[in-house]
Amino acid sequence: MKKILYFINQNFSHYLFAKSIQDKINAEIFAIYDVTNKPRQFFENQKIVNFEKIWFFHDFIQEIDKEPDLEFLGNFEKKYNIKLSEIVFSERIFTDFNEFYKFSTNQILRILELECRNFEKILNEVKPDVIFMVTPYFQHQEIFFKLSKALGVKVLEMQMARFSSMTTLGFSDEIKNNEKFIPNNNTRTFEELKDFFDKKNIFIQNKNTIKKIKKTDKKNLFSAGLNYFVFSDNDNIKTHYTHYGRNKIQVLKNYLSNELKIKRRKKFLDNNFKSNVQEGKYILFPLQTEAEASLSIDAPLFTNQIEIIKLLSKSIPTDYKLLVKEHPAQISRSWRDINTYKKILDIPKVIPIHPEADSRNFIKKSSLVIAISSTVALDALFYEKPSMLFTKNTFSMIPSIHKINNINKLSEDIRMTLKQKVNPSDIEKYIQFTESVSFNFSMADLGNSINDYFHYSGKFVDVNITEDKMMKFLEKEKEVLEIVANEHIEKMKI
């Protein structure tokens, strides 16, 4: 009998999948939960999914002021070939992006030690055949993911594909087959590829999600605030290191402060960042949202975007200017500090681009796109613009994207890439390969449905859950969950 280990996070979509998979196959199933205290009460006592054993991640993290065992961490790093420092010291909770609590280096290393010890213990105890989880978003998920792979366990991480309403399972393994993948001979023209891009661009899906959130924002914000400030005992600040320092007064002060910051910073953006530029010789650098996994997990050595801009400014040809576009989703982090924007404005040859401006217009006006790990580097290809990436990701294998391997050769690499032509067959192969390893399911739509039903549109996650409410939701989403369950079961056989 197969052993399945689920890693279930606050979104708990994998709990929903577990119910549908359980109804279809016999397997021994286990779960690690990464949830807050109120939903924990439901998951501890629920009878809907028959887990053999469960663990709660935050139970592992005790006595963080004790001295960390550096010898253990050193041996763990060597044994499993996992670059722990690279992962943990890029975690947003442990950096200046945490506005509530400042962790010491020893506390961070102690937390890391406890994570490594407990994940190793669970994996050695269960010896799972397969792990079901989402693509890592936080450092502890990334460590669990890499440890599982190092132990030879099959991991079917779920991830949104780069085209809307498509999802992949285990893409980190699938990507190894890209090189030998043979697409059919029907390579589309650039006009046809652009038409595909306009219809399937994930930006459209994300834009619709943002619109939906804005519509329900005030009502759900009020309900979430009422539940938190009036009815919640806020005990997570004692049990979850990710909530340290978040007492109600500090949370309120932080919220009011951020509201003022958003208005002040937006005014600065409106006054100083451009929405259009004249025709000229440009290279586009899209800023990425700070404190997101696309930087902290995918590009931990390239998180200082100001230094990247300075480097590019010195490396591009003298007759080119660098368009630096703010990310529209940065509003979720109250935009950037005005001093950061001023630093960008002071960098030679930089033209700052407004977050509300359409990136596609600036791709068209640019000769080259250079990104850390942004999907704009992929988007550029559909407009016949070459691109460069600082790090590997799920589309960096495309030959028309140049991978920056040596900073010392950046200047000559830029000049070389400017001369390159995008090959439509490269894009065609990537599309066909992605379609061959994807299935038709929108993670964003299910996530929104969960947030609307349980979490006040994502505004408050520490909620009580009843078995009756869960059963109604399972019935409501039954058709979608069946699709996902079938895909997991099929992938298990491969």
Side-chain angles (χ1 to χ4, degrees):
M1 189 180 291
K2 292 271 189 184
K3 289 184 179 181
I4 304 171
L5 176 57
Y6 291 87
F7 197 109
I8 299 169
N9 62 18
Q10 197 68 55
N11 167 272
F12 61 78
S13 55
H14 274 76
Y15 172 83
L16 307 174
F17 306 149
K19 170 65 171 72
S20 295
I21 293 169
Q22 172 187 268
D23 292 343
K24 293 173 178 292
I25 63 169
N26 289 321
E28 289 184 67
I29 57 175
F30 305 80
I32 300 171
Y33 286 98
D34 181 8
V35 295
T36 51
N37 287 327
K38 282 187 178 176
R40 172 182 177 148
Q41 294 170 21
F42 167 77
F43 291 119
E44 260 183 325
N45 299 298
Q46 63 84 35
K47 304 297 181 189
I48 298 170
V49 182
N50 302 317
F51 291 110
E52 300 286 331
K53 188 173 181 179
I54 61 174
W55 297 264
F56 289 90
F57 168 71
H58 287 276
D59 287 351
F60 307 160
I61 315 302
Q62 305 290 334
E63 300 178 315
I64 70 165
D65 290 319
K66 283 182 67 173
E67 282 291 314
D69 188 338
L70 298 181
E71 184 179 355
F72 166 80
L73 288 172
N75 290 334
F76 184 96
E77 197 168 43
K78 290 174 190 172
K79 182 177 180 180
Y80 298 113
N81 193 27
I82 299 173
K83 297 173 182 176
L84 295 176
S85 293
E86 196 174 283
I87 297 169
V88 77
F89 289 111
S90 298
E91 168 59 51
R92 71 213 72 178
I93 294 293
F94 300 143
T95 67
D96 292 339
F97 293 112
N98 186 342
E99 298 173 310
F100 296 97
Y101 189 88
K102 176 71 174 174
F103 288 89
S104 70
T105 300
N106 270 7
Q107 285 177 323
I108 294 169
L109 291 171
R110 171 65 175 161
I111 291 169
L112 177 64
E113 176 200 339
L114 292 168
E115 290 170 351
C116 292
R117 285 188 186 279
N118 283 281
F119 286 152
E120 185 180 43
K121 181 181 177 184
I122 291 170
L123 288 166
N124 286 332
E125 177 185 335
V126 175
K127 293 183 170 53
D129 296 292
V130 63
I131 289 167
F132 296 156
M133 64 185 296
V134 294
T135 296
Y137 192 74
F138 295 103
Q139 58 83 22
H140 61 283
Q141 296 168 352
E142 178 74 354
I143 289 167
F144 178 76
F145 174 79
K146 286 186 176 295
L147 176 60
S148 301
K149 303 276 274 187
L151 287 168
V153 182
K154 185 184 182 95
V155 183
L156 293 180
E157 78 279 11
M158 179 177 282
Q159 181 174 4
M160 282 194 292
R162 296 300 176 181
F163 307 115
S164 65
S165 300
M166 294 170 68
T167 297
T168 63
L169 291 176
F171 195 76
S172 58
D173 285 331
E174 295 284 6
I175 205 169
K176 297 169 188 172
N177 300 317
N178 174 71
E179 195 170 331
K180 60 185 180 184
F181 176 78
I182 301 173
N184 65 43
N185 293 322
N186 300 322
T187 299
R188 283 166 275 199
T189 65
F190 272 113
E191 198 60 39
E192 291 169 326
L193 287 168
K194 189 176 168 300
D195 184 55
F196 170 87
F197 174 75
D198 288 340
K199 291 175 182 174
K200 287 286 190 177
N201 183 3
I202 200 168
F203 170 78
I204 297 167
Q205 182 174 305
N206 293 341
K207 195 173 180 181
N208 291 338
T209 299
I210 291 167
K211 277 184 184 175
K212 184 177 182 298
I213 289 169
K214 282 182 177 177
K215 277 183 185 177
T216 58
D217 203 42
K218 287 184 180 178
K219 179 185 174 185
N220 283 292
L221 188 62
F222 175 79
S223 299
L226 186 68
N227 272 275
Y228 175 68
F229 288 107
V230 178
F231 300 116
S232 168
D233 56 13
N234 201 29
D235 60 348
N236 292 298
I237 62 172
K238 301 172 186 174
T239 56
H240 290 54
Y241 73 85
T242 48
H243 287 252
Y244 285 180
R246 293 173 184 258
N247 65 62
K248 292 182 181 181
I249 293 173
Q250 290 302 318
V251 168
L252 180 60
K253 284 169 64 176
N254 182 265
Y255 171 75
L256 295 174
S257 172
N258 281 339
E259 286 297 297
L260 292 174
K261 285 177 184 175
I262 288 171
K263 290 177 182 176
R264 192 165 60 248
R265 292 169 179 178
K266 181 60 163 52
K267 185 178 179 181
F268 185 89
L269 286 166
D270 291 342
N271 291 335
N272 294 279
F273 279 51
K274 297 181 181 298
S275 294
N276 197 12
V277 292
Q278 295 178 343
E279 295 300 319
K281 300 177 82 171
Y282 302 114
I283 291 172
L284 175 62
F285 175 74
L287 284 167
Q288 295 185 218
T289 311
E290 296 282 10
E292 292 298 316
S294 60
L295 285 177
S296 61
I297 298 293
D298 294 344
L301 300 182
F302 300 101
T303 55
N304 190 331
Q305 297 187 80
I306 296 293
E307 291 305 314
I308 297 289
I309 297 168
K310 288 179 180 178
L311 180 65
L312 293 175
S313 172
K314 295 172 185 176
S315 303
I316 64 175
T318 311
D319 55 340
Y320 277 80
K321 289 187 177 178
L322 186 66
L323 304 177
V324 175
K325 187 181 183 307
E326 175 59 294
H327 198 298
Q330 187 62 34
I331 189 175
S332 65
R333 302 289 180 185
S334 308
W335 301 116
R336 294 172 220 267
D337 186 89
I338 287 175
N339 284 333
T340 299
Y341 290 132
K342 286 180 177 178
K343 287 179 182 177
I344 292 172
L345 293 173
D346 286 341
I347 298 172
K349 297 192 286 188
V350 163
I351 298 176
I353 304 301
H354 198 279
E356 292 172 0
D358 192 331
S359 293
R360 291 170 289 187
N361 293 335
F362 295 95
I363 292 173
K364 293 173 189 175
K365 289 187 176 182
S366 299
S367 303
L368 171 67
V369 171
I370 305 176
I372 298 173
S373 61
S374 169
T375 55
V376 178
L378 173 62
D379 300 348
L381 304 185
F382 289 88
Y383 292 92
E384 302 181 60
K385 307 292 183 175
S387 60
M388 304 173 72
L389 282 175
F390 278 91
T391 190
K392 290 182 179 179
N393 59 19
T394 56
F395 56 87
S396 59
M397 83 291 274
I398 301 174
S400 290
I401 298 177
H402 179 81
K403 272 64 72 182
I404 299 167
N405 297 316
N406 188 342
I407 297 297
N408 294 322
K409 293 184 176 180
L410 180 59
S411 183
E412 56 191 88
D413 282 355
I414 289 172
R415 283 159 175 79
M416 177 192 70
T417 310
L418 277 166
K419 297 174 185 175
Q420 289 182 350
K421 299 290 184 185
V422 177
N423 188 340
S425 63
D426 290 344
I427 310 173
E428 185 66 53
K429 179 178 177 178
Y430 178 75
I431 293 171
Q432 290 188 31
F433 176 72
T434 301
E435 289 176 336
S436 74
V437 298
S438 303
F439 64 107
N440 191 25
F441 162 66
S442 171
M443 288 178 67
D445 286 352
L446 180 62
N448 289 334
S449 187
I450 292 169
N451 281 334
D452 288 347
Y453 196 84
F454 293 99
H455 297 149
Y456 304 97
S457 289
K459 298 291 182 290
F460 186 54
V461 296
D462 192 33
V463 296
N464 290 313
I465 300 172
T466 64
E467 194 155 304
D468 180 61
K469 189 169 186 176
M470 182 62 76
M471 288 300 295
K472 285 179 180 175
F473 187 78
L474 284 163
E475 185 59 35
K476 173 177 171 284
E477 298 292 339
K478 185 175 181 180
E479 188 176 332
V480 170
L481 297 176
E482 291 272 321
I483 293 169
V484 180
N486 289 336
E487 195 68 24
H488 277 82
I489 292 166
E490 192 60 35
K491 285 278 186 179
M492 281 175 64
K493 298 174 185 174
I494 299 173

